[in-house]
Amino acid sequence: MAAVTIDSLLQNPTLVFRPKAKVLLKPPRSLDCSRNRKLPLSRGSCLCSFNPRRTIHVVRASSSETALIGNFDISSSDDILYKDIFPVKRIEKVEGKFFIRLDRSKDQHDWQLTVGCSLPGKWILHWGVSYLGDSGSEWDQPPKGMRPPGSIPIKDYAIETPLKKLSEGDIFHEVKIDFNPISEIAAIHFVLKDEETGAWYQHRGMDFKVPLVDYLEDDGNIVGAKRGFGVWSGALQQFSNVLLKSEASHADSQNNSIESKDSKNKNRCLEGFYEEQSIVKEVSVGNLVSVAVRKSPETGKVIVCLETDIPGDVVVHWGVCRDDAKIWEIPAAPYPPETTVFKNKALRTLLQPKATGNRSGALFTLDEEHFGFLFVLKLDDNTWLKFKENDFYVPLLGTSSVPGQYGQSDSTSEEISSKSYTDGIINEIRNLVSGLSSEKSQKTKKKEVQESILQEIEQLAAEAYSIFRSSITTVPDEVVSETETTKPAVKISSGTGTGFEILCQGFNWESHKSGRWYMELKEKASEISSLGFTVIWLPPPTESVSPEGYMPKDLYNLNSRYGTIDELKELVKSLHEVGMKVLGDVVLNHRCAHFKNQNGVWNIFGGRLNWDDRAVVADDPHFQGRGNKSSGDNFHAAPNIDHSQEFVRKDLKEWLGWLREEIGYDGWRLDFVRGFWGGYVKDYLEASGPYFAVGEYWDSLSYTYGEMDHNQDSHRQRIVDWINATNGTAGAFDVTTKGILHSALERCEYWRLSDQKGKPPGVVGWWPSRAVTFIENHDTGSTQGHWRFPGGKEMQGYAYILTHPGTPAVFYDHIFSHHRSEIASLISVRNRNGIHCRSLVKIVKAERDVYAAIIDEKVAMKIGPGYYEPPSGSQRWSLALEGRDYKVWETS
Amino acid sequence: MEVSVIRSCSQATILKTELGFKDSRFSFGKFNEKLFFRKPNSVSFQSPLRRGKSGLRITAQAAQSDPLPKSKSSTKSKTLNRVRLFAGLPLDVVSGGTVNQFRAISAGLKALKLLGLEGVELPIWWGVVEHESMGKYDWSGYLTIAEMVRKAGLKLHVTLCFHASSQPKIPLPEWVLDIGKTKSNIFFKDRAGKPYRGCLSLAVDELAVLNGKTPMQVYQDFCESFKSAFSAFIGSTIMGITMGLGPDGELRYPSHRGFAKSDTVPGAGEFQCYDKNMLHLLKQHAEACGKPKWGLGGPHDAPANSELPTANTFFKDHGGSWESPYGDFFLSWYSSQLIAHGDRLLSLASSVFSDSAVNIFGKVPLMHSWHGTRSHPSELTAGFYNTATRKGYEEVAEMFARNSCKIILPGMDQSDKYQLKESLSSPESLLAEIGTACNKHGVGISGQNSTVGAPDGLKQIKKNMLSENLNDSFIFQRIGAQFFAPEHFPLFIEFVRKLNQPELHSGNLPTKEGTTTATDSVHTRSNLSIHMQSA
């Protein structure tokens, strides 16, 4: 169901840009929003892997803390060696409602927009308006008369108005905005902000927009007209259905009255409506974990008594240690009931509910020689609770520690452990720097050292940045709820195609060499199609300064080193005949110039698109562009095109349309999209209406001292941000997944293939339908080999991407190699089982030497040398395919 | 897409080999950024680089042990190096006794150390430490930070904040606000009687309004407790302590309330002498001067908070009441109250820390709007009796000198040319004026950038660091996501490097066009404004 909503959003042809520069759109923390019609927690569950079955707990007031402490029935005998109560914080979700109502105010002349929210908090409406005839996407400040009392202007583009409870007994905090429908205001835009938590509440990453005019008033059929025209992207497009159903008669009568009264005002057709959404707020909840250690006088053993008031199932993941190094070990049996051994490193014990109160606990009996007791807690929503980012530690050896001192000693030890990670390297650098000072070092060497230190600084800064940023970034709008429909409607959108696409990259870095690639590929068309591919990506077709085609010059000259324009047309025709869609590789970021300007700088273009230097971005001094500054990164080898120029966009749209028409391309592979804003891509895609489009957003993953970070959220966030900017009209290559596969396979660290929430760690874990997974392309592999997939492990990579959600892409070199039959078998397993870009993946194992997952409950797979067999339960699994370090099963 | 790269020796990523990088993974994503070319339209294509494990090891040696090796002997660099550079930690680095974003802070500290910074500034909030009840202090989170800073080999400059912060929200202690609920006269009030809850009114300094204690006693207890809690750090890691003196920690009245908007002309500000105790002091003073009628309230013809100075007659350039005998009477009293307040707090701090090897600082605001008028309305309402005809900062500097304290001046990133013309603002000349007064009295000056950020801010800071306006240290505000962001941090690195080695211009850097270009382009972008967290 959600899939439908989303797609309708994506097909919306108008541009509703985020007010990019002016509104703070990096919300400090995003709140989860889902519409009432959907399962309220479906997306929430993906955000935080919060178990939906769980009931929402009421937030406890902190004042009850003392009472709780008193209640813990730690044995009161005086043989207690140690006793402490640890406060822990966890995130709980509180659910409430949020409504938007548009209706006439009491005096019947003005209209009123009411926004309310039932969750506790200091809610602020951050809002602005746009006027008729505004072409841009920016907000304006509403006229003074429209601002409710207590409003505060924010710079010159927005207003912040607090939501208030009208009376103490009210459930909703609300704010009412009165306005005159005859004004020039076209729409009211807003986002909701909770001052207490600093969280922003947006509509799928955009502002809420309440349109106040309707250009299609004459049409009569408002619902149909709106759907067709689709002016109102954002919340209200979908609202119209609901409101018409629920308030049809009411709204109609109002419409009639307003039309009769305001006959002059032909272009207005306001409808009252009321819309509710559920809103989920993350609240940090304090709980307590109490630990007492005493010695059993009879047995001489040490008994650790652990108790907590955390609701739900709590598993203690525990061990003991010998010394201050706090290295985990498993003690000798006996263990408490419900204990399992975890990876031979720790024990897991499920806490048993206590008879009194809502607490649970366990008793651990240990030999007295142990130095300390270590534990962390795992809650039933798969979150882990630690003590100040470290293990809980309870001293056992006769330490009668005072709780106060304890906290301090722990914070120090915590620091040591986290420091030790990086300290070694810093010391190494220091040694480098100071090591052989007596020797006269060469100047270049010194510079190298400087550079290496700078590099180090940049790394540290990047680490700090990613953490600081992660605390304020939004988790992307999850679309996994799409997967909930068991049979997704086959609905084509440019971001996904049908959802069942399998891509073939139809060239490599050497393909230009023969001069007749198009003809060579044509001969292979039916062969490629028969392997199961549905889409093929052809090399860049334009005249280019470099033979590979990525330095385009005259965009309308399609005679290239791959063949002539006629050969290209012929190839496309053959591919269509065998049922494949064809993607053109379009380079929109930069273009090589034909002529020099008066300063001798190459920035004047020729050919049919004879732009001058206004088409070149201004912030690359080498090309002396007179355009605006670049909206993205610059590619320094050629003039970067300024997409903010109207004439440039118009020309490019025309060109894309021409390619569709003239050549018959079905879609695009977009080169170097880091170079310009994703919003422009959306513009181009909407103008050219491709069947499928995918962008190359390639930047560096996060590494800390050469070790790739487990958490690549910031990396995939950047890709997701870009997809978001295109409004989901394009997919993107899942560079994150490739990077993580590299580390996992190369270093035998298969645990990397599950993120902290038990989802795939790449873009495919967050926005599967827009992730184009791949393991190699003409840049990373082929004869360039800039970032080659670990040798000999390619099939493990394909076993992963061809069984997982996302749209997999297979590289030409791999298809025409000894991997071919294995790849073909994987593709047929995928097709046979109907795995698609939104399939549901359940990771069942992510350990050092093996990763295993079950997809859509139809296909099971494992990669890595370790052991895995699918469970022999209700489903019967049969081995479909087996290769070096991978196996794939399907249900029989 | 790929274009082969002509490598310059700047590809420092390769140096990583030594440090455990096995292959090229690390650098792949940077290709496109580091491309450079000889001439347009003729990119050379060469065979792919083979970056194996061979040939790239460095056994580098350098002559100095400085974190970031400085070049030797440059007189210019010596002049610069006397100014020690600090960076402020996030305002909310500690809340509820725990360190926020521990890993980020820890990585950040290492980066700053390697960059060669002297240390970091740590804001310690009254409302965090003595949050719950009077005399109950929780230093634990801040102690953790101090230990982290010590281990990182950095120095610490502590700011004791007896005020509240609005963003992030850090209010005064709960128990103080509770008292304020019934006794709103412990806060400053404007003419409309609206209390300012960001700090206590200076008029209650010596009144026993806080559960039988005076605010001065409470501040003193706080400082004593701080001193004993941090005794292991004071003098070794903690080298400087800034005493909070008023709103935003600055020695001033909260004369400008509400949001500072960068694109609108600020008002004159409003005199804040309307809480009961201030009015009482004014009355006493007026009676002592034999002008009892002057003691009934503030100037009747002063504009309200957000109004322009021209909205009423008090600040009129010629013939305004400020030049009248009444004006002189009021302004003398108003500013002397502020200076007396500063004196009380700074002498308190000096005596508490007299046996410790630390410098005490106090912050003086840079009220630079309307500095171009004769009456300097913003300065007058903030409590500085400084006009075209009276050098008001002399007595401020003298008060600092008396207590052997150094002065912190914010706004070092502000330059005249980016001010709104209509506001007749001149941060540069005001800074010079205060600088002159300080130099005359031998008061050391430490600089800060403004809370709102400024175009070309780093350039202006560097200019100030070279001038007489700054001779002790500079505290850059402030660490956070923005600070480490790719659009800012490289600029900051460049800034620090240029401070340390001004003669080593980018042309000398091993990186050629590639980096230079990149830097330039970021520079231009930064003009849009660096938005720093507010202090």
Side-chain angles (χ1 to χ4, degrees):
Chain A
M1 74 229 136
V4 179
T5 340
I6 300 249
D7 286 339
S8 73
L9 250 179
L10 302 179
Q11 286 172 350
N12 181 342
T14 39
L15 277 173
V16 178
F17 291 144
R18 299 173 174 201
K20 193 179 170 208
K22 288 196 165 181
V23 176
L24 179 67
L25 272 175
K26 286 270 171 277
R29 209 190 308 151
S30 97
L31 285 184
D32 179 23
C33 141
S34 51
R35 305 199 49 223
N36 252 358
R37 287 184 293 167
K38 299 175 202 159
L39 294 176
L41 276 174
S42 59
R43 289 195 301 122
S45 65
C46 316
L47 272 176
C48 186
S49 56
F50 203 84
N51 194 327
R53 281 166 303 174
R54 186 161 167 190
T55 49
I56 302 281
H57 299 279
V58 182
V59 184
R60 277 194 190 83
S62 60
S63 59
S64 64
E65 195 172 283
T66 37
L68 260 167
I69 296 172
N71 278 339
F72 278 98
D73 57 352
I74 292 165
S75 160
S76 58
S77 54
D78 26 291
D79 53 357
I80 288 195
L81 299 173
Y82 170 89
K83 170 175 170 179
D84 200 357
I85 292 178
F86 303 89
V88 289
K89 273 191 186 162
R90 64 202 170 80
I91 302 296
E92 263 196 358
K93 299 200 165 183
V94 188
E95 196 185 4
K97 274 180 189 158
F98 153 67
F99 73 82
I100 307 164
R101 183 175 62 224
L102 184 68
D103 57 13
R104 320 204 73 181
S105 62
K106 283 165 200 144
D107 59 13
Q108 290 295 302
H109 288 295
D110 284 350
W111 282 72
Q112 192 172 53
L113 176 73
T114 313
V115 177
C117 178
S118 70
L119 279 179
K122 280 185 85 174
W123 294 98
I124 303 279
L125 193 75
H126 183 95
W127 62 288
V129 298
S130 52
Y131 288 97
L132 291 174
D134 271 3
S135 55
S137 53
E138 288 168 355
W139 297 7
D140 278 309
Q141 241 160 16
K144 284 238 164 76
M146 215 171 136
R147 306 177 191 173
S151 299
I152 295 163
I154 302 298
K155 300 261 169 78
D156 60 347
Y157 60 85
I159 292 288
E160 285 197 350
T161 310
L163 274 66
K164 286 181 189 140
K165 284 193 178 185
L166 294 182
S167 65
E168 256 328 303
D170 274 3
I171 308 166
F172 285 96
H173 298 72
E174 16 180 276
V175 61
K176 290 187 192 314
I177 297 167
D178 290 308
F179 61 91
N180 181 340
I182 315 173
S183 69
E184 289 292 290
I185 295 170
I188 299 175
H189 307 255
F190 65 89
V191 295
L192 206 56
K193 175 180 158 191
D194 183 5
E195 284 236 303
E196 264 178 9
T197 57
W200 293 74
Y201 179 65
Q202 296 169 289
H203 182 77
R204 296 188 177 276
M206 316 225 300
D207 49 49
F208 291 87
K209 180 175 177 180
V210 180
L212 305 182
V213 290
D214 189 336
Y215 302 109
L216 298 176
E217 179 261 339
D218 282 344
D219 202 327
N221 179 1
I222 289 152
V223 180
K226 277 195 170 171
R227 198 176 281 152
F229 194 57
V231 174
W232 319 125
S233 123
L236 295 164
Q237 189 180 6
Q238 298 109 52
F239 288 177
S240 53
N241 280 325
V242 181
L243 65 94
L244 283 182
K245 267 178 224 152
S246 58
E247 295 197 350
S249 57
H250 184 53
D252 278 353
S253 64
Q254 284 185 333
N255 285 333
N256 293 342
S257 64
I258 197 171
E259 272 169 66
S260 55
K261 274 182 192 168
D262 290 322
S263 51
K264 286 178 209 163
N265 202 24
K266 272 286 180 193
N267 66 338
R268 276 167 200 278
C269 175
L270 272 183
E271 287 169 3
F273 69 83
Y274 177 80
E275 172 69 9
E276 259 187 14
Q277 300 198 352
S278 65
I279 173 168
V280 178
K281 176 175 168 178
E282 290 184 348
V283 181
S284 104
V285 182
N287 284 99
L288 298 170
V289 177
S290 81
V291 183
V293 182
R294 65 189 160 85
K295 205 165 187 177
S296 160
E298 301 89 28
T299 59
K301 296 218 174 197
V302 174
I303 297 168
V304 178
C305 169
L306 192 149
E307 247 184 71
T308 179
D309 61 341
I310 299 169
D313 287 347
V314 180
V315 172
V316 185
H317 186 96
W318 61 283
V320 292
C321 62
R322 283 174 200 279
D323 50 35
D324 251 333
K326 297 182 184 168
I327 295 162
W328 287 59
E329 280 182 28
I330 296 185
Y335 307 133
E338 298 271 3
T339 299
T340 54
V341 179
F342 178 70
K343 284 202 237 173
N344 266 330
K345 280 180 197 156
L347 294 162
R348 283 185 163 180
T349 304
L350 178 67
L351 292 186
Q352 302 298 315
K354 292 269 161 185
T356 53
N358 48 0
R359 300 198 303 273
S360 52
L363 286 178
F364 306 87
T365 310
L366 302 166
D367 287 324
E368 58 176 328
E369 83 255 32
H370 297 302
F371 184 84
F373 179 82
L374 298 162
F375 69 99
V376 293
L377 298 175
K378 182 172 170 284
L379 307 188
D380 60 359
D381 55 5
N382 256 334
T383 50
W384 294 84
L385 279 185
K386 294 188 162 196
F387 183 70
K388 293 183 181 169
E389 302 186 7
N390 217 329
D391 303 334
F392 290 92
Y393 169 68
V394 176
L396 297 179
L397 264 192
T399 343
S400 52
S401 161
V402 186
Q405 288 174 341
Y406 174 72
Q408 215 167 304
S409 66
D410 181 81
S411 64
T412 330
S413 69
E414 170 194 6
E415 192 186 350
I416 290 165
S417 66
S418 71
K419 267 173 77 83
S420 59
Y421 184 55
T422 45
D423 267 357
I425 290 148
I426 289 191
N427 287 337
E428 208 168 321
I429 296 168
R430 293 225 178 96
N431 293 340
L432 272 179
V433 177
S434 56
L436 290 149
S437 54
S438 55
E439 247 178 82
K440 262 198 177 174
S441 52
Q442 292 169 10
K443 206 172 182 182
T444 49
K445 284 279 171 72
K446 191 173 128 196
K447 280 180 180 168
E448 281 173 3
V449 176
Q450 274 190 12
E451 284 300 317
S452 94
I453 291 172
L454 272 182
Q455 202 67 42
E456 220 42 66
I457 293 170
E458 276 165 16
Q459 276 296 293
L460 287 161
E463 186 187 348
Y465 173 62
S466 71
I467 302 170
F468 277 126
R469 186 177 181 270
S470 69
S471 64
I472 55 167
T473 41
T474 163
V475 176
D477 208 2
E478 273 289 340
V479 207
V480 179
S481 53
E482 290 172 70
T483 57
E484 279 172 14
T485 35
T486 43
K487 281 183 186 169
V490 177
K491 200 165 185 348
I492 295 162
S493 88
S494 58
T496 59
T498 58
F500 293 87
E501 310 298 347
I502 300 174
L503 230 80
C504 161
Q505 178 176 3
F507 64 100
N508 63 25
W509 195 243
E510 304 295 316
S511 299
H512 63 91
K513 290 214 166 128
S514 70
R516 51 185 304 276
W517 183 252
Y518 292 148
M519 289 299 102
E520 290 170 24
L521 201 59
K522 189 186 156 199
E523 285 156 29
K524 297 194 165 100
S526 59
E527 191 182 345
I528 293 169
S529 163
S530 69
L531 291 171
F533 291 100
T534 61
V535 178
I536 185 165
W537 154 24
L538 298 185
T542 55
E543 177 200 19
S544 165
V545 171
S546 63
E548 296 85 4
Y550 288 103
M551 301 288 281
K553 200 169 165 191
D554 180 356
L555 297 186
Y556 279 94
N557 179 354
L558 298 192
N559 296 312
S560 70
R561 301 288 283 272
Y562 298 101
T564 64
I565 180 168
D566 293 325
E567 289 168 340
L568 175 61
K569 285 182 193 171
E570 219 179 306
L571 168 64
V572 171
K573 191 164 160 266
S574 317
L575 289 165
H576 283 164
E577 274 165 11
V578 297
M580 293 179 72
K581 303 286 181 184
V582 182
L583 303 187
D585 197 328
V586 289
V587 182
L588 299 176
N589 175 68
H590 52 269
R591 182 179 166 202
C592 294
H594 290 69
F595 313 107
K596 296 184 201 174
N597 70 358
Q598 69 278 11
N599 301 335
V601 170
W602 292 89
N603 64 10
I604 308 291
F605 301 93
R608 183 159 149 193
L609 302 181
N610 52 349
W611 303 332
D612 59 11
D613 50 2
R614 286 174 302 145
V616 176
V617 297
D619 44 358
D620 185 344
H622 292 287
F623 295 105
Q624 302 179 358
R626 284 198 295 131
N628 293 312
K629 283 180 188 164
S630 176
S631 54
D633 295 335
N634 272 340
F635 171 77
H636 289 293
N640 282 241
I641 295 173
D642 177 12
H643 295 264
S644 69
Q645 304 283 358
E646 197 77 38
F647 71 92
V648 169
R649 286 209 305 281
K650 182 177 152 283
D651 282 350
L652 289 177
K653 283 187 240 180
E654 235 175 76
W655 177 61
L656 292 170
W658 176 77
L659 287 177
R660 288 272 275 142
E661 194 101 322
E662 188 71 18
I663 308 302
Y665 281 125
D666 302 288
W668 318 118
R669 180 267 183 188
L670 301 148
D671 184 58
F672 198 71
V673 293
R674 272 172 68 204
F676 52 105
W677 179 43
Y680 297 130
V681 171
K682 172 176 176 274
D683 204 8
Y684 298 137
L685 296 183
E686 281 167 354
S688 58
Y691 170 88
F692 188 88
V694 54
E696 180 210 31
Y697 193 98
W698 186 8
D699 68 357
S700 178
L701 277 77
S702 319
Y703 290 87
T704 309
Y705 306 114
E707 284 261 319
M708 195 180 78
D709 295 343
H710 179 207
N711 184 332
Q712 294 292 348
D713 287 357
S714 59
H715 185 261
R716 57 174 162 173
Q717 177 80 56
R718 290 192 292 275
I719 298 177
V720 165
D721 285 348
W722 178 81
I723 304 172
N724 244 325
T726 72
N727 209 6
T729 53
F733 286 111
D734 190 348
V735 183
T736 321
T737 291
K738 171 169 162 74
I740 290 167
L741 281 170
H742 274 243
S743 285
L745 270 50
E746 199 166 42
R747 308 159 62 110
C748 197
E749 294 175 344
Y750 290 84
W751 49 268
R752 289 183 184 272
L753 290 169
S754 170
D755 72 6
Q756 272 123 347
K757 291 167 183 170
K759 299 261 173 201
V763 178
V764 70
W766 273 357
W767 202 344
S769 64
R770 299 299 184 274
V772 176
T773 49
F774 72 108
I775 68 164
E776 205 78 287
N777 63 29
H778 58 286
D779 286 332
T780 64
S782 189
T783 48
Q784 297 198 87
H786 287 317
W787 191 36
R788 199 180 295 285
F789 202 76
K793 317 229 176 198
E794 293 88 353
M795 282 319 301
Q796 286 188 61
Y798 281 121
Y800 181 90
I801 68 169
L802 286 169
T803 55
H804 276 57
T807 301
V810 181
F811 184 43
Y812 185 87
D813 289 3
H814 293 149
I815 302 169
F816 294 96
S817 75
H818 58 283
H819 297 310
R820 179 181 152 144
S821 65
E822 284 179 85
I823 290 172
S825 312
L826 281 169
I827 292 175
S828 67
V829 169
R830 184 180 183 90
N831 285 336
R832 198 156 61 226
N833 289 283
I835 293 174
H836 50 89
C837 68
R838 301 180 176 92
S839 283
L840 208 57
V841 54
K842 193 178 128 205
I843 297 175
V844 287
K845 242 183 182 181
E847 294 172 7
R848 185 186 66 83
D849 59 352
V850 63
Y851 165 88
I854 296 176
I855 299 92
D856 277 352
E857 302 185 338
K858 286 186 274 190
V859 171
M861 60 81 69
K862 77 121 194 177
I863 52 174
Y867 171 82
Y868 171 79
E869 286 290 329
S872 50
S874 52
Q875 287 159 309
R876 269 195 299 175
W877 295 100
S878 59
L879 189 62
L881 169 67
E882 183 176 7
R884 191 173 150 198
D885 287 340
Y886 77 92
K887 277 186 179 178
V888 179
W889 298 262
E890 51 194 342
T891 48
S892 48
Chain B
M1 177 204 72
E2 183 53 47
V3 176
S4 303
V5 179
I6 307 158
R7 289 242 149 182
S8 69
C9 59
S10 74
Q11 298 298 320
T13 42
I14 300 173
L15 304 178
K16 292 292 182 181
T17 320
E18 178 69 30
L19 306 172
F21 280 77
K22 287 203 305 218
D23 59 19
S24 60
R25 283 168 309 159
F26 172 76
S27 61
F28 80 92
K30 299 197 167 169
F31 282 174
N32 288 323
E33 293 164 5
K34 296 212 170 173
L35 284 178
F36 74 96
F37 53 90
R38 292 276 147 74
K39 60 183 173 185
N41 261 357
S42 69
V43 174
S44 310
F45 287 82
Q46 46 184 49
S47 59
L49 287 161
R50 311 215 191 284
R51 271 161 297 140
K53 293 169 193 173
S54 60
L56 292 168
R57 324 197 98 238
I58 43 162
T59 39
Q61 306 125 20
Q64 284 168 280
S65 59
D66 297 287
L68 225 182
K70 296 160 190 159
S71 342
K72 295 171 203 166
S73 70
S74 152
T75 45
K76 210 173 177 190
S77 91
K78 269 176 200 153
T79 359
L80 269 174
N81 280 341
R82 74 205 156 112
V83 175
R84 295 161 301 137
L85 188 59
F86 288 77
L89 290 169
L91 290 174
D92 55 354
V93 64
V94 169
S95 58
T98 52
V99 177
N100 295 319
Q101 284 140 348
F102 183 93
R103 291 247 304 153
I105 300 288
S106 155
L109 289 178
K110 283 173 193 132
L112 296 178
K113 175 64 183 173
L114 287 176
L115 199 50
L117 260 67
E118 175 83 7
V120 290
E121 181 258 0
L122 170 66
I124 295 188
W125 297 88
W126 189 23
V128 170
V129 175
E130 202 177 351
H131 169 72
E132 224 177 273
S133 59
M134 192 165 91
K136 192 176 163 199
Y137 306 101
D138 177 9
W139 299 104
S140 55
Y142 293 114
L143 281 164
T144 309
I145 298 268
E147 182 59 26
M148 285 167 80
V149 171
R150 189 180 66 76
K151 282 192 179 161
L154 291 165
K155 299 291 184 213
L156 194 57
H157 182 112
V158 165
T159 302
L160 301 177
C161 304
F162 295 109
H163 61 276
S165 154
S166 55
Q167 194 59 38
K169 201 166 175 53
I170 306 171
L172 293 182
E174 221 168 77
W175 57 276
V176 174
L177 291 176
D178 279 346
I179 292 171
K181 272 179 199 156
T182 50
K183 294 190 227 165
S184 67
N185 282 305
I186 64 171
F187 299 118
F188 287 111
K189 286 184 179 174
D190 61 14
R191 189 154 46 172
K194 200 180 159 206
Y196 172 82
R197 295 178 199 277
C199 67
L200 298 184
S201 165
L202 59 83
V204 298
D205 277 354
E206 309 273 23
L207 300 179
V209 292
L210 300 178
N211 301 332
K213 285 197 177 187
T214 69
M216 288 304 290
Q217 286 168 322
V218 172
Y219 297 149
Q220 174 153 13
D221 292 348
F222 186 91
C223 293
E224 302 272 12
S225 169
F226 166 79
K227 189 183 166 192
S228 71
F230 287 80
S231 55
F233 298 100
I234 293 175
S236 52
T237 297
I238 300 175
M239 305 304 285
I241 297 170
T242 299
M243 191 71 183
L245 300 178
D248 293 334
E250 296 173 339
L251 180 67
R252 65 174 169 91
Y253 291 92
S255 51
H256 285 79
R257 303 227 196 142
F259 292 85
K261 282 164 275 177
S262 56
D263 49 355
T264 51
V265 180
E270 192 173 349
F271 292 111
Q272 305 285 322
C273 57
Y274 296 92
D275 69 76
K276 201 182 77 194
N277 303 302
M278 282 297 281
L279 285 173
H280 180 68
L281 290 173
L282 176 59
K283 188 158 175 275
Q284 279 183 336
H285 179 66
E287 281 162 5
C289 293
K291 302 275 185 189
K293 284 193 177 162
W294 285 356
L296 301 175
H300 69 281
D301 56 350
N305 180 28
S306 54
E307 286 177 333
L308 297 183
T310 48
N312 215 323
T313 50
F314 189 83
F315 297 117
K316 245 170 63 178
D317 246 2
H318 293 283
S321 316
W322 63 277
E323 280 188 296
S324 69
Y326 165 75
D328 182 56
F329 156 82
F330 176 78
L331 293 170
S332 305
W333 169 79
Y334 188 68
S335 63
S336 67
Q337 290 298 312
L338 184 69
I339 290 171
H341 165 74
D343 194 23
R344 281 192 289 273
L345 282 170
L346 290 178
S347 69
L348 181 160
S350 300
S351 69
V352 170
F353 298 105
S354 59
D355 52 350
S356 315
V358 287
N359 287 315
I360 307 294
F361 294 77
K363 190 167 159 191
V364 168
L366 197 67
M367 309 302 298
H368 57 76
S369 50
W370 306 113
H371 190 71
T373 62
R374 289 187 66 237
S375 58
H376 302 184
S378 285
E379 291 163 64
L380 293 185
T381 55
F384 297 92
Y385 191 4
N386 186 53
T387 64
T389 50
R390 188 177 188 279
K391 285 193 184 334
Y393 291 99
E394 292 281 331
E395 53 218 285
V396 178
E398 194 267 328
M399 183 270 285
F400 273 82
R402 192 160 63 235
N403 291 300
S404 317
C405 292
K406 299 188 181 193
I407 219 164
I408 291 184
L409 287 179
M412 293 267 178
D413 53 340
Q414 301 285 340
S415 47
D416 285 1
K417 68 175 167 191
Y418 293 111
Q419 302 302 318
L420 292 169
K421 285 216 167 51
E422 302 82 1
S423 72
L424 301 170
S425 168
S426 177
E428 290 178 43
S429 54
L430 178 56
L431 204 57
E433 229 174 272
I434 302 176
T436 311
C438 288
N439 286 335
K440 188 171 158 192
H441 292 274
V443 176
I445 305 174
S446 172
Q448 276 188 11
N449 46 327
S450 63
T451 57
V452 289
D456 276 346
L458 289 172
K459 215 165 128 193
Q460 187 66 21
I461 291 170
K462 197 179 146 209
K463 192 174 145 196
N464 276 317
M465 287 177 93
L466 286 165
S467 76
E468 292 296 303
N469 293 344
L470 191 52
N471 51 27
D472 181 81
S473 53
F474 186 84
I475 305 177
F476 192 87
Q477 304 294 17
R478 185 172 275 295
I479 294 175
Q482 197 70 43
F483 179 82
F484 286 114
E487 50 287 8
H488 175 261
F489 195 69
L491 292 178
F492 186 75
I493 293 184
E494 201 55 32
F495 164 73
V496 175
R497 293 191 74 178
K498 286 200 175 143
L499 286 180
N500 287 338
Q501 26 188 208
E503 85 294 353
L504 185 58
H505 192 256
S506 49
N508 278 342
L509 295 177
T511 316
K512 294 266 158 48
E513 288 105 302
T515 347
T516 320
T517 340
T519 325
D520 286 350
S521 67
V522 195
H523 260 298
T524 27
R525 218 169 290 154
S526 78
N527 291 350
L528 296 173
S529 110
I530 310 156
H531 193 88
M532 287 297 143
Q533 259 180 289
S534 58

